[in-house]
């Protein structure tokens, strides 16, 4: 959450401290305790509700909401007086509450990233430092995530480097105290974080939301993990807090903000506060802070075998697709993602035995072909097309990389997805066209033969909905004999399928 600086002055006023009263019961008998507390505190709560109501319905709040076309019903005053309803059944998108860190200054521009993934089933707010007036004709923002202004209480805390980090760390408190019903997970992210919500739901549903969980990803650049922390979810990649943990964190937040004023980021303040509660960081490999510089290609073409949950920092990186800007690139990626969310960016490798070519598919994104033999390990090791985030060095990263060889003949020929569609009986087709990565000219016959292949068609069955609930195993692919004559030279047909039990790549 470092990208957000901004930060308007607000008048200081003492914020209401609700969180410590409204803890989330972890055991049935806690409900009784809670009920008793509620009975005793009824009068107080009623008055607190009134204060809240007055706060939310003050003229400035009303103007602000009208400006955005928000419904004030999103803040349920009544719910505060009731114990949370027991949540049963599988986790779906409506159980996730997104708390997005934004800043008024950059919101209109950054809202493009959220519009890519925001749907009418997603719940949450982007928290800004001050209200923004959104132009009438800006449909993207108007129908996207609703905005809220952070409670101004944050301005009383000390800070050493980034003032906005205090406010952003505190949006978990802002979000929790709304006490919205049926929230199992609070998911934090930046205004330039792109979430793949189907996969986020899939990942979170593996965990018991009634227990305390802190789930996310750390930085790709070792220098960042060393400087900040390894045992911490980097905010831009997004991270999830189960409701019981969010309750504890919201209650502890203000004290933590006093104690950890010397940290740079909001995410590190949150991590330190969670570590006081005694809850460890759980890493999921699909959250991507993308603390890298330059071209993310090599990394995204060799995604770890885990569902893609988020992408971040794309505004600072070379666009994913040649001849497209970052937003157009993401729009392109969303098409195959909606067809088969489990499979997006999943890497599948095979060899063309006749021609001795090595083929690597990053589904829905790109294909790399090499005119020589590479092992499965080499193919799954990202080609280092990028540098580290802070010092633009050649590493180290938290994963292995292989260098982009200086000889153009040893570099891959690359193809980029330009179409995706459903086919009958739960299948998909994706097309990839040759795309220039400026990897230089190689005059060797085999390379020339490869560059004659202009288009690749990939067919696959949609992944089993249980795919990520089983022990992970990469799928296999094979080169199909398709077209004859001239077209055969120009087109290639690949089929993705489950590997046979004894099959090796
Ligand atoms: C999510 O699950 C709840 C039950 O816990 C159900 O009432 C709701 O309709 C579901 N929402 C979606 C979007 O599937
Ligand atoms: C939500 O969006 C879907 C399509 O994106 C639409 O079919 C549905 O009617 C919408 N629901 C509401 C409540 O607007
Ligand atoms: C909205 O209108 C302003 C001028 O009135 C124009 O400059 C801007 O490009 C328009 N934006 C969109 C998204 O149409």
């Amino acid at each position: 959450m470092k990208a957000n600086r901004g930060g308007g002055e607000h008048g200081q006023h003492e914020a209401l401290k609700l969180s410590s009263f409204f803890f989330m019961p972890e055991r049935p008998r806690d409900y009784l305790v809670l009920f008793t507390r509620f009975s005793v505190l009824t009068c107080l709560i009623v008055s607190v509700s009134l204060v809240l109501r007055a706060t939310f319905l003050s003229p400035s709040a009303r103007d602000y909401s009208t400006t955005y076309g928000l419904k004030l019903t999103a803040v349920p005053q009544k719910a505060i007086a009731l114990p949370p309803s027991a949540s049963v059944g599988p986790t779906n998108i409506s159980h996730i509450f997104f708390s997005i860190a934004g800043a008024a200054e950059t919101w209109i521009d950054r809202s493009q990233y959220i519009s890519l993934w925001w749907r009418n089933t997603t719940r949450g707010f982007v928290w800004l430092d001050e209200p923004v007036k959104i132009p009438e004709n800006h449909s993207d923002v108007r129908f996207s995530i609703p905005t809220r202004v952070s409670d101004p209480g944050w301005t009383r805390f000390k800070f050493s480097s980034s003032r906005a980090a205090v406010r952003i760390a505190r949006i978990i408190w802002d979000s929790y105290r709304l006490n919205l019903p049926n929230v199992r997970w609070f998911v934090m992210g930046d205004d330039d974080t792109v979430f793949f919500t189907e996969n986020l739901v899939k990942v979170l549903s593996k965990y018991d939301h009634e227990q305390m969980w802190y789930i996310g990803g750390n930085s790709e650049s070792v220098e960042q993990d060393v400087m900040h922390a390894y045992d911490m979810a980097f905010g831009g990649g997004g991270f999830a807090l189960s409701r019981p943990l969010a309750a504890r964190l919201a209650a502890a937040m203000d004290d933590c903000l006093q104690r950890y004023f010397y940290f740079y980021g909001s995410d590190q303040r949150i991590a330190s506060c969670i570590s006081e509660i005694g809850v460890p960081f759980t890493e999921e490999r699909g959250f991507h802070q993308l603390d890298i510089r330059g071209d993310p290609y090599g990394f995204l073409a060799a995604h770890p075998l885990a569902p893609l949950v988020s992408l971040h920092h794309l505004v600072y990186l070379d666009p994913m697709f040649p001849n497209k800007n970052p937003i157009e690139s993401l729009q392109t990626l969303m098409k195959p993602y909606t067809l088969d969310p489990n499979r997006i960016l999943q890497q599948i490798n095979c060899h063309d035995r006749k021609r001795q070519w090595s083929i690597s598919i990053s589904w829905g994104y790109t294909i790399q072909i090499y005119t020589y033999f590479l092992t499965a390990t080499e193919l799954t090791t990202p080609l280092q097309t990028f540098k580290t985030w802070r010092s633009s060095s050649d590493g180290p990263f938290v994963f292995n990389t292989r260098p982009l060889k200086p000889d153009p003949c040893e570099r891959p020929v690359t193809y980029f997805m330009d179409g995706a569609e459903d086919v009958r009986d739960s299948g998909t087709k994706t097309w990839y066209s040759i795309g220039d990565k400026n990897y230089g000219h190689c005059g060797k016959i085999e390379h020339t033969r490869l560059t004659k292949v202009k288009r690749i068609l990939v067919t696959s069955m949609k992944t089993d909905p249980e795919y990520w609930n089983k022990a992970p195993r990469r799928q296999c692919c094979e080169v199909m004999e398709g077209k004859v004559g001239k077209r055969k030279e120009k087109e290639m047909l690949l089929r993705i399928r489950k590997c046979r039990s004894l099959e090796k790549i």
Side-chain angles (χ1 to χ4, degrees):
M1 304 200 175
K2 279 163 244 80
N4 299 290
R5 283 153 214 240
E9 285 298 328
H10 290 273
Q12 307 242 345
H13 83 235
E14 191 58 29
L16 292 166
K17 280 202 177 193
L18 286 178
S19 19
S20 51
F21 288 124
F22 306 108
F23 68 96
M24 173 71 183
E26 282 160 40
R27 293 156 307 179
R29 103 179 117 86
D30 289 345
Y31 282 98
L32 203 66
V33 179
L34 192 63
F35 181 74
T36 319
R37 265 193 212 187
F38 275 114
S39 312
V40 172
L41 296 175
T42 301
C43 300
L44 175 59
I45 285 163
V46 166
S47 60
V48 163
S49 301
L50 287 174
V51 173
L52 257 187
R53 191 180 291 268
T55 308
F56 282 112
L57 296 182
S58 69
S60 65
R62 201 182 296 115
D63 290 351
Y64 166 67
S65 302
T66 315
T67 316
Y68 300 99
L70 279 188
K71 284 197 218 110
L72 284 168
T73 50
V75 183
Q77 316 306 336
K78 263 192 317 198
I80 280 182
L82 297 169
S85 55
S87 226
V88 289
T91 293
N92 64 41
I93 188 68
S94 73
H95 296 120
I96 297 177
F97 188 86
F98 290 93
S99 291
I100 304 297
E105 201 185 333
T106 48
W107 170 236
I108 295 195
D109 190 37
R110 290 293 177 85
S111 66
Q112 300 180 81
Y113 286 90
I114 300 186
S115 300
L116 289 163
W117 59 271
W118 193 259
R119 300 285 175 272
N120 57 15
T121 45
T122 29
R123 302 166 69 194
F125 293 123
V126 59
W127 295 94
L128 304 176
D129 46 348
E130 54 187 63
V132 203
K133 199 154 176 66
I134 290 165
E136 283 294 330
N137 60 353
H138 212 301
S139 59
D140 254 21
V141 193
R142 294 184 74 85
F143 299 107
S144 185
I145 184 172
T147 57
R148 279 281 188 274
V149 173
S150 298
D151 176 281
W154 67 272
T155 52
R156 71 190 138 95
F157 297 99
K158 265 201 294 191
F159 63 97
S160 62
S161 44
S162 168
R163 185 161 187 258
V166 177
R167 181 176 66 82
I168 289 163
R170 209 164 179 261
I171 68 176
I172 183 62
W173 178 90
D174 284 311
S175 302
Y176 184 76
R177 73 167 187 155
L178 298 176
N179 200 30
L180 298 176
N182 299 317
V183 175
R184 296 183 182 181
W185 296 94
F186 288 86
V187 171
M188 320 282 287
D190 275 359
D191 52 6
D192 62 339
T193 308
V194 176
F195 284 105
F196 294 81
T197 54
E198 298 263 352
N199 294 342
L200 175 65
V201 168
K202 191 123 244 166
V203 165
L204 295 183
S205 44
K206 290 194 302 189
Y207 299 89
D208 178 358
H209 60 273
E210 306 279 6
Q211 298 186 34
M212 293 198 279
W213 289 105
Y214 169 43
I215 301 166
N218 63 2
S219 177
E220 290 78 5
S221 290
V222 166
E223 60 191 22
Q224 286 282 89
D225 293 316
V226 169
M227 173 172 278
H228 301 290
Y230 277 97
D231 287 330
M232 133 182 174
F234 277 65
F239 58 90
L241 307 170
S242 58
R243 188 181 179 116
L245 178 58
R248 295 286 300 274
L249 186 61
M253 182 53 72
D254 285 358
D255 283 346
C256 288
L257 289 176
Q258 301 282 23
R259 262 197 293 290
Y260 300 112
F261 72 92
Y262 52 87
F263 284 139
Y264 173 70
S266 56
D267 41 10
Q268 200 171 359
R269 285 171 168 82
I270 291 170
S272 302
C273 204
I274 292 176
S275 105
E276 290 186 5
I277 299 167
V279 172
F281 165 54
T282 298
E283 188 179 10
E284 276 284 346
R285 298 188 75 197
F287 288 87
H288 301 298
Q289 163 84 1
L290 289 185
D291 268 349
I292 54 177
R293 299 269 178 193
D295 190 351
Y297 181 78
F299 181 64
L300 299 177
H303 191 269
L305 193 53
L308 174 67
V309 175
S310 69
L311 293 173
H312 175 239
H313 272 161
L314 292 175
V315 71
Y316 302 108
L317 289 160
D318 294 352
M320 285 177 71
F321 288 83
N323 308 319
K324 289 190 171 142
N325 67 31
I327 296 289
E328 290 163 347
S329 296
L330 287 162
Q331 284 164 340
T332 308
L333 198 66
M334 287 297 167
K335 180 71 205 277
Y337 163 69
T338 53
L339 301 182
D340 192 355
N342 286 333
R343 199 191 282 290
I344 193 72
L345 292 196
Q346 293 308 306
Q347 194 190 15
I348 301 119
N349 303 316
C350 50
H351 293 99
D352 180 334
R353 288 180 196 283
K354 257 199 298 199
R355 293 178 281 197
Q356 292 286 305
W357 292 352
S358 303
I359 302 167
S360 168
I361 306 169
S362 171
W363 190 83
Y365 175 38
T366 186
I367 298 176
Q368 312 167 63
I369 305 185
Y370 298 81
T371 54
Y372 55 99
F373 189 86
L374 282 154
T375 63
T377 305
E378 286 165 321
L379 287 170
T380 53
T381 304
L383 198 58
Q384 200 190 313
T385 57
F386 45 84
K387 307 268 188 196
T388 62
W389 175 255
R390 177 167 295 272
S391 62
S392 290
S393 315
D394 275 323
F397 299 97
V398 295
F399 44 82
N400 298 108
T401 58
R402 64 193 158 96
L404 189 59
K405 299 271 176 62
D407 179 0
C409 296
E410 292 187 51
R411 295 179 168 194
V413 173
T414 53
Y415 299 80
F416 290 87
M417 196 219 57
D418 53 15
E421 70 179 35
D422 273 330
V423 295
R424 259 181 301 140
D425 303 324
S426 320
T428 60
K429 268 189 200 172
T430 43
W431 297 268
Y432 304 76
S433 300
I434 197 162
D436 189 13
K437 271 269 147 195
N438 288 319
Y439 285 168
H441 176 75
C442 165
K444 285 192 185 155
I445 289 174
E446 200 52 28
H447 214 268
T448 310
R449 199 173 153 201
L450 170 54
T451 52
K452 278 191 187 148
V453 176
K454 300 297 181 203
R455 259 165 85 79
I456 303 176
L457 172 63
V458 175
T459 61
S460 64
M461 297 308 291
K462 288 194 183 181
T463 42
D464 169 2
E466 293 299 307
Y467 183 70
W468 290 119
N469 296 335
K470 296 177 181 166
R473 186 180 181 192
R474 208 177 286 284
Q475 293 202 324
C476 284
C477 59
E478 60 188 311
V479 182
M480 308 298 285
E481 294 298 335
K483 307 284 176 348
V484 288
K486 264 236 148 70
R487 287 189 71 185
K488 187 171 174 176
E489 278 197 330
K490 284 194 184 161
E491 287 190 4
M492 192 170 187
L493 180 58
L494 297 174
R495 183 167 80 103
I496 297 176
R497 54 168 175 73
K498 275 189 204 158
C499 299
R500 290 183 277 270
S501 61
L502 297 178
E503 187 169 0
K504 287 188 296 188
I505 298 153

